Amino acid sequence: MPPVSAPPAMTPQSAMKSTAPEILAEPVRDTGGVRQAVAPPPLAPPAAGRRRQARTEQYYDTKSQVFSALIDTIDLSQLAKLDAESAREEIRDIVNDIITIKNFAMSISEQEELLEDICNDVLGYGPLEPLLARDDIADIMVNGAGQTFIEVGGKTIESEIRFRDNAQLLSICQRIVSQVGRRVDESSPICDARLPDGSRVNVIAPPLALDGPALTIRKFKKDKLTLDQLVKFGAITPEGATVLQIIGRVRCNVVISGGTGSGKTTLLNCLTSYIDKDERVITCEDTAELQLQQPHVVRLETRPPNIEGEGEITMRDLVKNCLRMRPERIIVGEVRGPEVFDLLQAMNTGHDGSMGTIHSNTPRECLSRMESMIAMGGFTLPAKTVREIITGSVDIIIQAARLRDGSRRITQITEVIGMEGDVIVTQDLMRYEIEGEDANGRLIGRHASTGIAKPHFWDRARYFGEERRLAAALDAMEMVKS
C-alpha cells in the first residue's frame, strides 16, 4: 500500500486498542477489514545465510498465543495509515513487548523467526512468503495445511513449510483472490487469480478438496526470460533461436503446443518481444500473466459468474470483442475451447502474427485438438472445411516439452503447409533428438535440422527483409547436423 503522507508517528502504545473488534476475535478468520486495510508488502528475501529450521508443535503453540495477544492489542485502523515497512516495524515492536511480558523462553534466532512469521501473517501471505521470495522455485503446490511441495530445477520436492491449520490456509487464499476482485468459499470453491507480480494462482477449496484447500502457484521470474537465456539453458540452439526471432518478426501465425509446465507461456513471452513497437497488440487471458514490453498493448481478462451465476465473460466473448478494437495482433494466453474458432478466423482475416498456446503433446495432436475444440463449440462444419480453416490460419506450431529429467526443451518447429485430400500436410524445420543420458540421469540430446533449405514462410520473410538471415540460420542448423 502506498505511504500515507504525514501520519502521526505510531508507538506500540498508540497502536493499542481498548476493545478488540469482534471480527478479529479469531485470527484465522477471513476478515474483509484486514485485507482492505493493509496491502501485502513487497516480497523481501530472507536474511542471507539464515536457514528456516524445522518447526515444532511448541513453536506453533507459542506463535498462536503471541498472535492472539497481538490481535487483541493492535489497532488495525491506525496500522492502516502506515506504509508497509512502518507497519511491519510497529508489529515487531508490539510482538517483542508481548514476548517480554509473557516471558516466553526463546533464543534470538527463534524470536526473529517468530517476528518474521507473524509480520507475514498480518501483512502478507503467511508461510508462503519465504517461498515467494525465492527465485529458483517454479511452482508452489499446497495440499492442505500440512503438506507443501515446490518445483526446483524441474523436480518436485516436499518443503518444510506448513500452515497452522486449514482455516489459516483458506484465509490466505481469500486474501490472494480478493486482490483481483474474486472470492473463494463453499459456494464458489474454484478460483483462478494472480499475484501482483503476475504469478498464476489456482485455488480449490472444500467441499471439493477433501483434505483442505489446495493452492497452486505458478511463479513468474522477476526478470523476464529471453530467447538468449533459453539458448544458454539448452532449450534451443542459437540457430533455432534466430529462426524463432524471424518467425515472431515476420508476423507468422503461431500456436505454441506443449504439456503442463513445459514452458509455453515463457516461450510466448519470448516471441512477443520481437513484435514491432508500433503494432497494436491485444491479449486475451483467463488470468493475466503475459508480460509484453511493447508500448501499445491492451490486456483483457475473462470474468467468472457471480454468486447468482450471472455476469460471466468467456474467452470467446473477449476474442470476439477484440476484433472490434482494431488489433494488429491478437495474443490468446491459452486456447482451451470454442474460442479457437474465433482466433483462427482472426488469423485468417488480416490479423497476421497472432499467437496462442494449446495443451497437446505433438504438433499433429495440436491440429487434432483444434478440430475437437471447434466441434465442442457446436459448429456443424464438414471435417475438411475445418481443416482448411486451420491450414489457412496457422503457419507455425512450436512444440515445447518438459523431459523426464525435469529439463525443458523446444522439441519441434513445424510448418503447416496445406492440404492433400483430407489430410493436413506439415513439415518440421527442426527436431530435438534424445541420444542418451549421463551418469547423473540428465538427458543428452541435440537439436537437428531436417534439411529444409527454403521453408514455406520464405516469401513472408523476404517481404520483411529477413530472407538472408533466415537462410544463414537454416544453413548453420544444417552444418551443425552434419
Side-chain angles (χ1 to χ4, degrees), residues 227 236 240-248 267 271 398 410 413:
L227 275 180
I236 187 72
T242 301
V243 173
L244 292 182
Q245 289 177 19
I246 295 169
I247 286 170
L267 184 53
L271 289 181
I398 303 172
I410 296 170
I413 302 176

Side-chain angles (χ1 to χ4, degrees), residues 82-342:
L82 302 179
D83 62 88
E85 191 57 39
S86 299
R88 185 172 283 260
E89 286 302 315
E90 295 302 333
I91 290 173
R92 291 174 67 90
D93 289 341
I94 297 172
V95 169
N96 277 322
D97 288 345
I98 292 170
I99 292 173
T100 302
I101 292 169
K102 290 186 176 287
N103 199 25
F104 288 118
M106 305 181 72
S107 67
I108 294 176
S109 62
E110 289 173 336
Q111 188 167 334
E112 279 297 314
E113 199 165 325
L114 179 67
L115 287 168
E116 189 68 21
D117 277 0
I118 290 179
C119 286
N120 289 340
D121 284 348
V122 176
L123 301 176
Y125 303 124
L128 292 176
E129 288 283 354
L131 301 182
L132 293 170
R134 288 176 53 182
D135 203 37
D136 61 328
I137 295 177
D139 290 272
I140 302 170
M141 296 152 279
V142 183
N143 307 334
Q147 195 176 51
T148 300
F149 289 86
I150 57 177
E151 183 192 311
V152 179
K155 294 292 187 179
T156 300
I157 59 175
E158 186 168 3
S159 166
E160 62 189 17
I161 295 296
R162 71 180 180 91
F163 295 78
R164 182 168 56 247
D165 50 32
N166 285 329
Q168 183 197 20
L169 173 56
L170 183 59
S171 176
I172 290 170
C173 293
Q174 289 165 336
R175 185 178 301 180
I176 291 172
V177 303
S178 68
Q179 294 177 338
V180 292
R182 299 184 180 179
R183 61 188 180 82
V184 57
D185 51 34
E186 285 191 7
S187 61
S188 179
I190 298 178
C191 183
D192 288 314
R194 65 179 182 277
L195 296 176
D197 65 355
S199 296
R200 187 171 63 198
V201 178
N202 176 266
V203 180
I204 180 164
L208 302 186
L210 301 181
D211 300 320
L215 170 67
T216 309
I217 300 176
R218 169 67 53 81
K219 284 186 60 185
F220 270 12
K221 288 186 177 294
K222 296 172 185 175
D223 299 323
K224 191 166 75 72
L225 287 175
T226 63
L227 275 180
D228 290 339
Q229 289 173 304
L230 295 186
V231 170
K232 181 180 177 182
F233 298 150
I236 187 72
T237 61
E239 299 78 21
T242 301
V243 173
L244 292 182
Q245 289 177 19
I246 295 169
I247 286 170
R249 167 85 174 84
V250 304
R251 299 179 67 112
C252 288
N253 293 324
V254 178
V255 174
I256 298 174
S257 165
T260 300
S262 60
K264 299 186 298 298
T265 303
T266 298
L267 184 53
L268 184 57
N269 270 321
C270 291
L271 289 181
T272 57
S273 64
Y274 299 98
I275 296 175
D276 289 342
K277 296 189 182 300
D278 59 350
E279 295 185 45
R280 176 174 169 86
V281 183
I282 300 180
T283 67
C284 303
E285 301 175 81
D286 280 322
T287 302
E289 53 183 329
L290 292 175
Q291 300 170 308
L292 272 66
Q293 304 301 309
Q294 284 70 20
H296 198 167
V297 176
V298 180
R299 303 166 72 213
L300 305 179
E301 186 178 60
T302 60
R303 185 177 71 184
N306 59 21
I307 193 169
E308 290 84 17
E310 300 176 348
E312 181 181 17
I313 303 297
T314 66
M315 181 67 76
R316 192 167 182 202
D317 296 329
L318 292 186
V319 175
K320 279 183 176 179
N321 186 78
C322 75
L323 294 174
R324 306 184 184 101
M325 299 172 64
R326 198 205 167 274
E328 289 180 286
R329 298 209 197 200
I330 299 172
I331 312 294
V332 179
E334 185 173 337
V335 179
R336 61 179 70 175
E339 68 272 6
V340 68
F341 184 76
D342 300 286

